[in-house]
Amino acid sequence: MNRSCKLGLFLLFSMVLTLGLVGCSNESSSDGKDSDEKVEITLGYYSSGSADEKMEELIDQFEEKHPNIKVKTQNAPYSQFFQKLDTQIAGNNAPDVWLSDGVLVSKYAERGAAKDVSEWIERDLNKDEYYGLDFNKDANGKYFAVPQGIQIGALFYNKDMFDEAGVDYPDDDWSWEDLQEAAAKLTIDAEGNRATDSKFNEDAVNQYGMTFFNITEGWMPVLKSFGGGVLDEELKNSVIDSPENEEAVKWMVEGMEKGILTDPSDLQSFQSPMSPFPSGTAAMRIGIYARVLAANETGINYDVSVLPKGPDGKRFAPVIANSWIVNNNSSDAKAEAAWEWVKFWVTEDDVQKEWAELGEAVPVKKSVANSDLFLNSGENKINKQAFLDSFEFAGTLDTNAVWSEWLQKFNDNINRAFLNETSVEEALKQADKEVTKVLEDFYKK
Amino acid sequence: MPKLARKKKDLNDRKRKLSTEGRWGFLMVSPYLLQFLVFLLFPLVASLYFSFSKYDMLNPPEWIGIENYTTLVQDPVFHKALWNTLYFTLLFVPAQTILALLLAVALNQSLKGLKFFRIAHFIPVICSWTVVLYVADAILNPRFGLANTILLKLGEKPQQWLSDEALIIPVLVAVAVWKGVGYMMIIFLAGLQNVPEDLYEAAEIEGAGIWKKFRHVTVPLISGTTFLVLVLTTITTFQSFEQIYVMTSHLGDVTSAGGPNNASMVLMLYLFQQGFSFLKMGYASAIAWVLFIILFGITMIQLKLQNKWVYYEK
């Protein structure tokens, strides 16, 4: 064998090797033809520390029950998880089933990455038995995901602070006006003056009546209960520039000017915008269910109530249904196996109970959510019924395919109104213009 | 003519030798070549293609010609990002270079405890941006920070360091200089140690003072190092991302990075946001190419200008 022949062989060999490696990464899209054969599915989820162990346990249980399905897991911290997921979808090697933040479901659904599971839901689930299924329904009534756990908003309040100020605890009758009145009595400056005193200094607040930020735990519930909102029912057009929104935002700006609601720059003083309530710097907050964990951890004496009603008696509780999505590009066998996992998750009482014990979310299955296990668990007995009652007037955050993009535009503008850099009218007009452009770019081209 | 024949044979031998050598050489660099093709050339070509298409990563790219570029030209946020990047660079590059040089000169003396100071200046370089953020927060926190505490003591009004549109870039630059100056200082130190001692002695005999020695010996002799520092700093500034991402993603919400009101939106951040947060990969690729062209241009200008002021010892 002469030299050039050896060289050729070597090059050929290295090419084969490279092709082989490239080939391997596409393996996940190959078909598992026979349903009796073992199917291996990949399950992706974002980690949340303590919950990971439980997830692994539940997966083991699932594999025991379904000996023909093997589950491979992929997890990462929240933001990395979704970045990786997008790249994986682009490369056609995304997990066969993954956990999606509720606000991102339409992003995947409207771009064709999530499988339409409507038929399977009809076949295998009794829709009345579950919370939150409808929050994943699109405008055409199709389902693209099944909830894994539900986050729903309610009003958290610090009982000790209310007692000290001699203010009655919030109840079902509260309007946002009542809330602001109470909040004024609960706001204390560095000198110990309350916001109701004339000597009160709104530039040096030590205790806020209410902490307030962001969409879910800030402006969205207020806008909606005042009769406003961001998008129309179709979720394709902006309704930002409305008198209802103007009234709602004025209510917020007024509270911030008086120093009884935290404004965005107040919140910058804290390591996390979540911390004023659990650390005892604010007497109230709008909080989703998961905020119970932090509040319990710091040991403050608190309870929850339904959110206040708007001027016309309308109420609104924000909902985020974190959900399982089945990959639209998975082979039939893998998708069926992935669906088995979803079914296992929502229908099995044991799974629902074990997950509920972590206290991260309201269980999807109504029977478990309404059981003692959920309602009366934990050392801190709070009115968890308030979360369940809130389902009657719950809604999503106007999530659509370009949610994060319009949200950024809206936040930018409303924050300027909050910081008094622009008028409420001007901010809403500008937000309306920018959000409309985002929507048109995506939907009307 | 045996002489000529031998010459011919020699030449042929050498040719053959060369070609086998060439082949072997090719073989030796093939791992690198492969790496280059797979991880550099392919992504480069792909991103160029994406920049002419509408691509959301979840669906196949759709060719739209130069639309991404025409949108860029009209995009006010892009203009702002471009200006902010330039503004950041104009403040950062001279500030960091001059400070690094002064520090290097100061720490090039034979003093006691010198190592400690060198290390102290280098520590921020090793720290991650998240750590730096915590230190910066101890100073810049509007309520509990050192800066506002001092301002209040002096009877001045407290400042919103990170949510004031006019202050944000200078504040970010100050923090970036604090973090980066140690690294450039080390490069300068290396340059300074190559300046021959006898030149200083000669200058001293001529009666030059500290300033004159610095101006006429040190500065020209380390101009090569200075050039390197300038090019490196400019490139890193244009690519600055992590700091702004960490320090301005207000309220734990990453889509808010670049605020307030886009006052700290820089090109890399805008690219990331469009590509990864909003899934506009095509648009993001177009931004990347514009960024590349700008950087390439600036580096070319720097290279051209170096003939005028950089001195290399022959």
mmCIF file of all heavy atoms in Angstrom, chain A residues 115-158:
data_model
loop_
_atom_site.group_PDB
_atom_site.id
_atom_site.type_symbol
_atom_site.label_atom_id
_atom_site.label_comp_id
_atom_site.label_asym_id
_atom_site.label_seq_id
_atom_site.Cartn_x
_atom_site.Cartn_y
_atom_site.Cartn_z
ATOM 1 N N LYS A 115 -47.806 19.823 20.150
ATOM 2 C CA LYS A 115 -48.777 18.945 19.513
ATOM 3 C C LYS A 115 -50.184 19.311 19.964
ATOM 4 O O LYS A 115 -50.419 19.610 21.138
ATOM 5 C CB LYS A 115 -48.474 17.503 19.909
ATOM 6 C CG LYS A 115 -49.189 16.490 19.048
ATOM 7 C CD LYS A 115 -48.697 15.082 19.401
ATOM 8 C CE LYS A 115 -49.314 14.053 18.500
ATOM 9 N NZ LYS A 115 -48.854 14.169 17.109
ATOM 10 N N ASP A 116 -51.117 19.287 19.041
ATOM 11 C CA ASP A 116 -52.524 19.493 19.374
ATOM 12 C C ASP A 116 -53.015 18.237 20.095
ATOM 13 O O ASP A 116 -53.096 17.163 19.506
ATOM 14 C CB ASP A 116 -53.294 19.720 18.074
ATOM 15 C CG ASP A 116 -54.786 19.860 18.311
ATOM 16 O OD1 ASP A 116 -55.221 19.712 19.473
ATOM 17 O OD2 ASP A 116 -55.513 20.117 17.333
ATOM 18 N N VAL A 117 -53.328 18.359 21.375
ATOM 19 C CA VAL A 117 -53.714 17.177 22.149
ATOM 20 C C VAL A 117 -55.213 17.155 22.442
ATOM 21 O O VAL A 117 -55.668 16.407 23.317
ATOM 22 C CB VAL A 117 -52.914 17.078 23.473
ATOM 23 C CG1 VAL A 117 -51.470 16.704 23.196
ATOM 24 C CG2 VAL A 117 -52.977 18.361 24.269
ATOM 25 N N SER A 118 -55.993 17.938 21.693
ATOM 26 C CA SER A 118 -57.440 18.020 21.944
ATOM 27 C C SER A 118 -58.099 16.647 21.950
ATOM 28 O O SER A 118 -58.865 16.317 22.860
ATOM 29 C CB SER A 118 -58.104 18.880 20.872
ATOM 30 O OG SER A 118 -57.429 20.093 20.720
ATOM 31 N N GLU A 119 -57.792 15.844 20.916
ATOM 32 C CA GLU A 119 -58.446 14.527 20.816
ATOM 33 C C GLU A 119 -58.129 13.653 22.007
ATOM 34 O O GLU A 119 -58.985 12.956 22.530
ATOM 35 C CB GLU A 119 -57.973 13.814 19.544
ATOM 36 C CG GLU A 119 -58.758 14.195 18.336
ATOM 37 C CD GLU A 119 -58.218 13.489 17.102
ATOM 38 O OE1 GLU A 119 -57.817 12.311 17.220
ATOM 39 O OE2 GLU A 119 -58.201 14.123 16.043
ATOM 40 N N TRP A 120 -56.879 13.678 22.379
ATOM 41 C CA TRP A 120 -56.465 12.849 23.509
ATOM 42 C C TRP A 120 -57.143 13.290 24.807
ATOM 43 O O TRP A 120 -57.496 12.482 25.642
ATOM 44 C CB TRP A 120 -54.940 12.888 23.677
ATOM 45 C CG TRP A 120 -54.237 12.090 22.622
ATOM 46 C CD1 TRP A 120 -54.813 11.176 21.786
ATOM 47 C CD2 TRP A 120 -52.861 12.124 22.293
ATOM 48 N NE1 TRP A 120 -53.861 10.642 20.953
ATOM 49 C CE2 TRP A 120 -52.646 11.214 21.253
ATOM 50 C CE3 TRP A 120 -51.766 12.847 22.783
ATOM 51 C CZ2 TRP A 120 -51.407 10.987 20.686
ATOM 52 C CZ3 TRP A 120 -50.525 12.629 22.221
ATOM 53 C CH2 TRP A 120 -50.349 11.706 21.175
ATOM 54 N N ILE A 121 -57.299 14.601 24.942
ATOM 55 C CA ILE A 121 -57.971 15.106 26.142
ATOM 56 C C ILE A 121 -59.418 14.623 26.156
ATOM 57 O O ILE A 121 -59.908 14.115 27.162
ATOM 58 C CB ILE A 121 -57.889 16.651 26.206
ATOM 59 C CG1 ILE A 121 -56.459 17.064 26.541
ATOM 60 C CG2 ILE A 121 -58.870 17.209 27.216
ATOM 61 C CD1 ILE A 121 -56.232 18.546 26.658
ATOM 62 N N GLU A 122 -60.100 14.742 24.994
ATOM 63 C CA GLU A 122 -61.474 14.262 24.882
ATOM 64 C C GLU A 122 -61.567 12.786 25.251
ATOM 65 O O GLU A 122 -62.481 12.337 25.918
ATOM 66 C CB GLU A 122 -61.996 14.435 23.446
ATOM 67 C CG GLU A 122 -62.141 15.870 22.988
ATOM 68 C CD GLU A 122 -63.253 16.622 23.694
ATOM 69 O OE1 GLU A 122 -64.121 15.973 24.312
ATOM 70 O OE2 GLU A 122 -63.241 17.873 23.641
ATOM 71 N N ARG A 123 -60.587 12.021 24.767
ATOM 72 C CA ARG A 123 -60.620 10.574 24.940
ATOM 73 C C ARG A 123 -60.327 10.152 26.374
ATOM 74 O O ARG A 123 -60.992 9.295 26.931
ATOM 75 C CB ARG A 123 -59.584 9.950 23.994
ATOM 76 C CG ARG A 123 -59.585 8.427 23.951
ATOM 77 C CD ARG A 123 -58.428 7.929 23.107
ATOM 78 N NE ARG A 123 -57.151 8.086 23.815
ATOM 79 C CZ ARG A 123 -55.958 7.989 23.232
ATOM 80 N NH1 ARG A 123 -55.866 7.777 21.940
ATOM 81 N NH2 ARG A 123 -54.857 8.133 23.935
ATOM 82 N N ASP A 124 -59.324 10.779 26.986
ATOM 83 C CA ASP A 124 -58.799 10.244 28.242
ATOM 84 C C ASP A 124 -59.100 11.047 29.497
ATOM 85 O O ASP A 124 -58.907 10.558 30.600
ATOM 86 C CB ASP A 124 -57.276 10.100 28.142
ATOM 87 C CG ASP A 124 -56.871 9.031 27.134
ATOM 88 O OD1 ASP A 124 -57.699 8.143 26.869
ATOM 89 O OD2 ASP A 124 -55.740 9.115 26.623
ATOM 90 N N LEU A 125 -59.513 12.292 29.362
ATOM 91 C CA LEU A 125 -59.709 13.104 30.561
ATOM 92 C C LEU A 125 -61.151 13.592 30.644
ATOM 93 O O LEU A 125 -61.746 13.953 29.640
ATOM 94 C CB LEU A 125 -58.780 14.319 30.558
ATOM 95 C CG LEU A 125 -57.278 14.085 30.406
ATOM 96 C CD1 LEU A 125 -56.543 15.421 30.395
ATOM 97 C CD2 LEU A 125 -56.749 13.213 31.536
ATOM 98 N N ASN A 126 -61.664 13.607 31.858
ATOM 99 C CA ASN A 126 -62.961 14.230 32.065
ATOM 100 C C ASN A 126 -62.692 15.688 32.432
ATOM 101 O O ASN A 126 -62.260 15.987 33.538
ATOM 102 C CB ASN A 126 -63.692 13.499 33.193
ATOM 103 C CG ASN A 126 -65.058 14.123 33.447
ATOM 104 O OD1 ASN A 126 -65.430 15.107 32.803
ATOM 105 N ND2 ASN A 126 -65.779 13.563 34.381
ATOM 106 N N LYS A 127 -62.962 16.580 31.470
ATOM 107 C CA LYS A 127 -62.498 17.958 31.607
ATOM 108 C C LYS A 127 -62.961 18.641 32.898
ATOM 109 O O LYS A 127 -62.282 19.513 33.422
ATOM 110 C CB LYS A 127 -62.938 18.781 30.392
ATOM 111 C CG LYS A 127 -62.019 18.559 29.209
ATOM 112 C CD LYS A 127 -62.335 19.513 28.096
ATOM 113 C CE LYS A 127 -63.190 18.830 27.049
ATOM 114 N NZ LYS A 127 -63.625 19.714 25.991
ATOM 115 N N ASP A 128 -64.139 18.237 33.399
ATOM 116 C CA ASP A 128 -64.652 18.897 34.602
ATOM 117 C C ASP A 128 -63.829 18.593 35.846
ATOM 118 O O ASP A 128 -63.968 19.258 36.868
ATOM 119 C CB ASP A 128 -66.106 18.463 34.852
ATOM 120 C CG ASP A 128 -67.003 18.897 33.717
ATOM 121 O OD1 ASP A 128 -66.629 19.867 33.040
ATOM 122 O OD2 ASP A 128 -68.049 18.250 33.502
ATOM 123 N N GLU A 129 -63.003 17.565 35.750
ATOM 124 C CA GLU A 129 -62.258 17.169 36.944
ATOM 125 C C GLU A 129 -61.006 17.985 37.171
ATOM 126 O O GLU A 129 -60.319 17.807 38.171
ATOM 127 C CB GLU A 129 -61.868 15.688 36.841
ATOM 128 C CG GLU A 129 -63.020 14.750 37.110
ATOM 129 C CD GLU A 129 -62.610 13.296 36.935
ATOM 130 O OE1 GLU A 129 -61.391 13.020 36.827
ATOM 131 O OE2 GLU A 129 -63.506 12.453 36.916
ATOM 132 N N TYR A 130 -60.672 18.866 36.227
ATOM 133 C CA TYR A 130 -59.377 19.543 36.327
ATOM 134 C C TYR A 130 -59.492 21.049 36.318
ATOM 135 O O TYR A 130 -60.345 21.619 35.652
ATOM 136 C CB TYR A 130 -58.466 19.087 35.180
ATOM 137 C CG TYR A 130 -58.315 17.598 35.160
ATOM 138 C CD1 TYR A 130 -59.091 16.805 34.311
ATOM 139 C CD2 TYR A 130 -57.441 16.976 36.041
ATOM 140 C CE1 TYR A 130 -58.989 15.430 34.336
ATOM 141 C CE2 TYR A 130 -57.327 15.603 36.076
ATOM 142 C CZ TYR A 130 -58.108 14.837 35.220
ATOM 143 O OH TYR A 130 -58.003 13.481 35.263
ATOM 144 N N TYR A 131 -58.597 21.672 37.060
ATOM 145 C CA TYR A 131 -58.462 23.121 36.999
ATOM 146 C C TYR A 131 -57.537 23.482 35.851
ATOM 147 O O TYR A 131 -56.553 22.791 35.592
ATOM 148 C CB TYR A 131 -57.822 23.650 38.279
ATOM 149 C CG TYR A 131 -58.748 23.732 39.459
ATOM 150 C CD1 TYR A 131 -58.448 23.070 40.642
ATOM 151 C CD2 TYR A 131 -59.903 24.501 39.396
ATOM 152 C CE1 TYR A 131 -59.280 23.163 41.745
ATOM 153 C CE2 TYR A 131 -60.744 24.599 40.487
ATOM 154 C CZ TYR A 131 -60.430 23.927 41.672
ATOM 155 O OH TYR A 131 -61.259 24.021 42.736
ATOM 156 N N GLY A 132 -57.859 24.567 35.185
ATOM 157 C CA GLY A 132 -56.857 25.176 34.326
ATOM 158 C C GLY A 132 -56.716 24.638 32.920
ATOM 159 O O GLY A 132 -55.939 25.168 32.141
ATOM 160 N N LEU A 133 -57.476 23.571 32.569
ATOM 161 C CA LEU A 133 -57.344 23.059 31.196
ATOM 162 C C LEU A 133 -57.639 24.158 30.177
ATOM 163 O O LEU A 133 -56.936 24.311 29.186
ATOM 164 C CB LEU A 133 -58.325 21.915 30.976
ATOM 165 C CG LEU A 133 -57.844 20.502 31.253
ATOM 166 C CD1 LEU A 133 -58.962 19.524 30.969
ATOM 167 C CD2 LEU A 133 -56.630 20.181 30.416
ATOM 168 N N ASP A 134 -58.684 24.922 30.465
ATOM 169 C CA ASP A 134 -59.119 25.917 29.487
ATOM 170 C C ASP A 134 -58.150 27.086 29.318
ATOM 171 O O ASP A 134 -58.236 27.827 28.349
ATOM 172 C CB ASP A 134 -60.501 26.460 29.858
ATOM 173 C CG ASP A 134 -61.573 25.438 29.505
ATOM 174 O OD1 ASP A 134 -61.211 24.421 28.878
ATOM 175 O OD2 ASP A 134 -62.741 25.651 29.863
ATOM 176 N N PHE A 135 -57.235 27.241 30.272
ATOM 177 C CA PHE A 135 -56.288 28.348 30.125
ATOM 178 C C PHE A 135 -55.262 28.067 29.029
ATOM 179 O O PHE A 135 -54.505 28.935 28.647
ATOM 180 C CB PHE A 135 -55.588 28.638 31.453
ATOM 181 C CG PHE A 135 -56.545 29.101 32.497
ATOM 182 C CD1 PHE A 135 -56.681 28.413 33.694
ATOM 183 C CD2 PHE A 135 -57.344 30.203 32.279
ATOM 184 C CE1 PHE A 135 -57.581 28.829 34.649
ATOM 185 C CE2 PHE A 135 -58.253 30.628 33.226
ATOM 186 C CZ PHE A 135 -58.378 29.941 34.416
ATOM 187 N N ASN A 136 -55.228 26.814 28.564
ATOM 188 C CA ASN A 136 -54.323 26.483 27.464
ATOM 189 C C ASN A 136 -55.036 26.380 26.132
ATOM 190 O O ASN A 136 -54.444 26.000 25.132
ATOM 191 C CB ASN A 136 -53.624 25.150 27.733
ATOM 192 C CG ASN A 136 -52.570 25.276 28.788
ATOM 193 O OD1 ASN A 136 -51.953 26.311 28.909
ATOM 194 N ND2 ASN A 136 -52.389 24.238 29.568
ATOM 195 N N LYS A 137 -56.326 26.676 26.140
ATOM 196 C CA LYS A 137 -57.098 26.546 24.918
ATOM 197 C C LYS A 137 -56.826 27.746 24.023
ATOM 198 O O LYS A 137 -56.728 28.869 24.507
ATOM 199 C CB LYS A 137 -58.580 26.505 25.294
ATOM 200 C CG LYS A 137 -59.443 25.800 24.296
ATOM 201 C CD LYS A 137 -60.743 25.343 24.910
ATOM 202 C CE LYS A 137 -61.655 26.497 25.309
ATOM 203 N NZ LYS A 137 -62.995 26.020 25.705
ATOM 204 N N ASP A 138 -56.679 27.515 22.718
ATOM 205 C CA ASP A 138 -56.472 28.683 21.839
ATOM 206 C C ASP A 138 -57.817 29.220 21.351
ATOM 207 O O ASP A 138 -58.872 28.714 21.735
ATOM 208 C CB ASP A 138 -55.531 28.332 20.680
ATOM 209 C CG ASP A 138 -56.202 27.472 19.619
ATOM 210 O OD1 ASP A 138 -57.364 27.040 19.825
ATOM 211 O OD2 ASP A 138 -55.563 27.221 18.582
ATOM 212 N N ALA A 139 -57.766 30.263 20.506
ATOM 213 C CA ALA A 139 -59.000 30.922 20.072
ATOM 214 C C ALA A 139 -59.930 29.968 19.324
ATOM 215 O O ALA A 139 -61.148 30.160 19.300
ATOM 216 C CB ALA A 139 -58.664 32.125 19.202
ATOM 217 N N ASN A 140 -59.372 28.912 18.708
ATOM 218 C CA ASN A 140 -60.201 27.956 17.972
ATOM 219 C C ASN A 140 -60.673 26.788 18.836
ATOM 220 O O ASN A 140 -61.201 25.805 18.323
ATOM 221 C CB ASN A 140 -59.440 27.394 16.775
ATOM 222 C CG ASN A 140 -58.953 28.496 15.869
ATOM 223 O OD1 ASN A 140 -59.680 29.465 15.642
ATOM 224 N ND2 ASN A 140 -57.726 28.376 15.398
ATOM 225 N N GLY A 141 -60.407 26.873 20.134
ATOM 226 C CA GLY A 141 -60.863 25.823 21.025
ATOM 227 C C GLY A 141 -59.995 24.583 21.051
ATOM 228 O O GLY A 141 -60.410 23.532 21.508
ATOM 229 N N LYS A 142 -58.771 24.726 20.559
ATOM 230 C CA LYS A 142 -57.874 23.560 20.574
ATOM 231 C C LYS A 142 -56.953 23.608 21.783
ATOM 232 O O LYS A 142 -56.553 24.674 22.225
ATOM 233 C CB LYS A 142 -57.035 23.547 19.298
ATOM 234 C CG LYS A 142 -57.854 23.134 18.115
ATOM 235 C CD LYS A 142 -56.971 22.890 16.917
ATOM 236 C CE LYS A 142 -57.791 22.301 15.785
ATOM 237 N NZ LYS A 142 -57.219 22.639 14.493
ATOM 238 N N TYR A 143 -56.603 22.415 22.257
ATOM 239 C CA TYR A 143 -55.724 22.335 23.424
ATOM 240 C C TYR A 143 -54.319 21.934 22.988
ATOM 241 O O TYR A 143 -54.143 20.985 22.240
ATOM 242 C CB TYR A 143 -56.236 21.279 24.411
ATOM 243 C CG TYR A 143 -57.580 21.589 25.006
ATOM 244 C CD1 TYR A 143 -58.753 21.196 24.381
ATOM 245 C CD2 TYR A 143 -57.664 22.273 26.210
ATOM 246 C CE1 TYR A 143 -59.990 21.472 24.942
ATOM 247 C CE2 TYR A 143 -58.901 22.558 26.781
ATOM 248 C CZ TYR A 143 -60.057 22.153 26.130
ATOM 249 O OH TYR A 143 -61.278 22.432 26.690
ATOM 250 N N PHE A 144 -53.319 22.661 23.497
ATOM 251 C CA PHE A 144 -51.948 22.351 23.133
ATOM 252 C C PHE A 144 -51.085 21.948 24.323
ATOM 253 O O PHE A 144 -49.897 21.730 24.179
ATOM 254 C CB PHE A 144 -51.312 23.533 22.416
ATOM 255 C CG PHE A 144 -51.849 23.712 21.031
ATOM 256 C CD1 PHE A 144 -52.914 24.560 20.786
ATOM 257 C CD2 PHE A 144 -51.309 22.988 19.975
ATOM 258 C CE1 PHE A 144 -53.423 24.703 19.506
ATOM 259 C CE2 PHE A 144 -51.806 23.132 18.704
ATOM 260 C CZ PHE A 144 -52.877 23.984 18.468
ATOM 261 N N ALA A 145 -51.695 21.880 25.492
ATOM 262 C CA ALA A 145 -50.913 21.529 26.673
ATOM 263 C C ALA A 145 -51.860 21.117 27.786
ATOM 264 O O ALA A 145 -53.051 21.414 27.749
ATOM 265 C CB ALA A 145 -50.078 22.711 27.117
ATOM 266 N N VAL A 146 -51.300 20.419 28.764
ATOM 267 C CA VAL A 146 -52.087 20.004 29.919
ATOM 268 C C VAL A 146 -51.375 20.507 31.176
ATOM 269 O O VAL A 146 -50.178 20.292 31.333
ATOM 270 C CB VAL A 146 -52.208 18.468 29.960
ATOM 271 C CG1 VAL A 146 -52.898 18.029 31.228
ATOM 272 C CG2 VAL A 146 -52.950 17.969 28.738
ATOM 273 N N PRO A 147 -52.094 21.198 32.054
ATOM 274 C CA PRO A 147 -51.443 21.803 33.219
ATOM 275 C C PRO A 147 -50.711 20.790 34.098
ATOM 276 O O PRO A 147 -51.164 19.679 34.290
ATOM 277 C CB PRO A 147 -52.592 22.430 33.982
ATOM 278 C CG PRO A 147 -53.638 22.674 32.970
ATOM 279 C CD PRO A 147 -53.520 21.568 31.980
ATOM 280 N N GLN A 148 -49.574 21.241 34.616
ATOM 281 C CA GLN A 148 -48.783 20.442 35.536
ATOM 282 C C GLN A 148 -49.069 20.910 36.959
ATOM 283 O O GLN A 148 -49.067 20.143 37.900
ATOM 284 C CB GLN A 148 -47.303 20.625 35.181
ATOM 285 C CG GLN A 148 -46.325 19.942 36.090
ATOM 286 C CD GLN A 148 -45.546 20.951 36.952
ATOM 287 O OE1 GLN A 148 -45.911 22.118 37.057
ATOM 288 N NE2 GLN A 148 -44.489 20.476 37.572
ATOM 289 N N GLY A 149 -49.303 22.209 37.114
ATOM 290 C CA GLY A 149 -49.627 22.802 38.411
ATOM 291 C C GLY A 149 -50.094 24.209 38.125
ATOM 292 O O GLY A 149 -49.710 24.791 37.120
ATOM 293 N N ILE A 150 -50.965 24.754 38.986
ATOM 294 C CA ILE A 150 -51.549 26.046 38.652
ATOM 295 C C ILE A 150 -51.084 27.125 39.622
ATOM 296 O O ILE A 150 -51.027 26.920 40.830
ATOM 297 C CB ILE A 150 -53.093 25.986 38.747
ATOM 298 C CG1 ILE A 150 -53.613 24.730 38.077
ATOM 299 C CG2 ILE A 150 -53.711 27.252 38.187
ATOM 300 C CD1 ILE A 150 -54.079 24.875 36.707
ATOM 301 N N GLN A 151 -50.747 28.268 39.039
ATOM 302 C CA GLN A 151 -50.473 29.448 39.848
ATOM 303 C C GLN A 151 -51.640 30.400 39.663
ATOM 304 O O GLN A 151 -52.004 30.718 38.541
ATOM 305 C CB GLN A 151 -49.175 30.123 39.396
ATOM 306 C CG GLN A 151 -47.942 29.283 39.601
ATOM 307 C CD GLN A 151 -47.715 28.911 41.049
ATOM 308 O OE1 GLN A 151 -48.213 29.569 41.970
ATOM 309 N NE2 GLN A 151 -46.997 27.830 41.272
ATOM 310 N N ILE A 152 -52.220 30.825 40.789
ATOM 311 C CA ILE A 152 -53.335 31.757 40.697
ATOM 312 C C ILE A 152 -53.140 32.834 41.753
ATOM 313 O O ILE A 152 -52.613 32.558 42.836
ATOM 314 C CB ILE A 152 -54.684 31.011 40.842
ATOM 315 C CG1 ILE A 152 -55.852 31.973 40.667
ATOM 316 C CG2 ILE A 152 -54.771 30.252 42.157
ATOM 317 C CD1 ILE A 152 -57.159 31.282 40.343
ATOM 318 N N GLY A 153 -53.516 34.046 41.422
ATOM 319 C CA GLY A 153 -53.219 35.175 42.301
ATOM 320 C C GLY A 153 -54.280 35.437 43.358
ATOM 321 O O GLY A 153 -55.474 35.239 43.130
ATOM 322 N N ALA A 154 -53.830 35.900 44.523
ATOM 323 C CA ALA A 154 -54.733 36.319 45.590
ATOM 324 C C ALA A 154 -54.046 37.448 46.343
ATOM 325 O O ALA A 154 -52.908 37.819 46.033
ATOM 326 C CB ALA A 154 -55.046 35.163 46.519
ATOM 327 N N LEU A 155 -54.744 38.004 47.327
ATOM 328 C CA LEU A 155 -54.169 39.102 48.097
ATOM 329 C C LEU A 155 -53.557 38.549 49.387
ATOM 330 O O LEU A 155 -54.255 37.931 50.196
ATOM 331 C CB LEU A 155 -55.259 40.127 48.426
ATOM 332 C CG LEU A 155 -54.788 41.359 49.191
ATOM 333 C CD1 LEU A 155 -53.886 42.219 48.321
ATOM 334 C CD2 LEU A 155 -55.985 42.180 49.669
ATOM 335 N N PHE A 156 -52.264 38.746 49.552
ATOM 336 C CA PHE A 156 -51.568 38.338 50.780
ATOM 337 C C PHE A 156 -51.550 39.535 51.729
ATOM 338 O O PHE A 156 -51.300 40.650 51.285
ATOM 339 C CB PHE A 156 -50.118 37.951 50.477
ATOM 340 C CG PHE A 156 -49.930 36.639 49.770
ATOM 341 C CD1 PHE A 156 -50.537 36.383 48.549
ATOM 342 C CD2 PHE A 156 -49.111 35.653 50.325
ATOM 343 C CE1 PHE A 156 -50.329 35.179 47.888
ATOM 344 C CE2 PHE A 156 -48.898 34.445 49.675
ATOM 345 C CZ PHE A 156 -49.514 34.198 48.457
ATOM 346 N N TYR A 157 -51.789 39.303 53.021
ATOM 347 C CA TYR A 157 -51.667 40.422 53.954
ATOM 348 C C TYR A 157 -51.036 39.980 55.263
ATOM 349 O O TYR A 157 -51.206 38.847 55.706
ATOM 350 C CB TYR A 157 -53.023 41.091 54.192
ATOM 351 C CG TYR A 157 -54.093 40.177 54.753
ATOM 352 C CD1 TYR A 157 -54.331 40.113 56.131
ATOM 353 C CD2 TYR A 157 -54.876 39.398 53.907
ATOM 354 C CE1 TYR A 157 -55.317 39.281 56.639
ATOM 355 C CE2 TYR A 157 -55.847 38.557 54.414
ATOM 356 C CZ TYR A 157 -56.070 38.502 55.783
ATOM 357 O OH TYR A 157 -57.030 37.671 56.285
ATOM 358 N N ASN A 158 -50.301 40.895 55.858
ATOM 359 C CA ASN A 158 -49.567 40.625 57.077
ATOM 360 C C ASN A 158 -50.462 40.958 58.278
ATOM 361 O O ASN A 158 -50.755 42.124 58.540
ATOM 362 C CB ASN A 158 -48.304 41.495 57.084
ATOM 363 C CG ASN A 158 -47.398 41.185 58.238
ATOM 364 O OD1 ASN A 158 -47.853 41.041 59.381
ATOM 365 N ND2 ASN A 158 -46.105 41.112 57.976
#
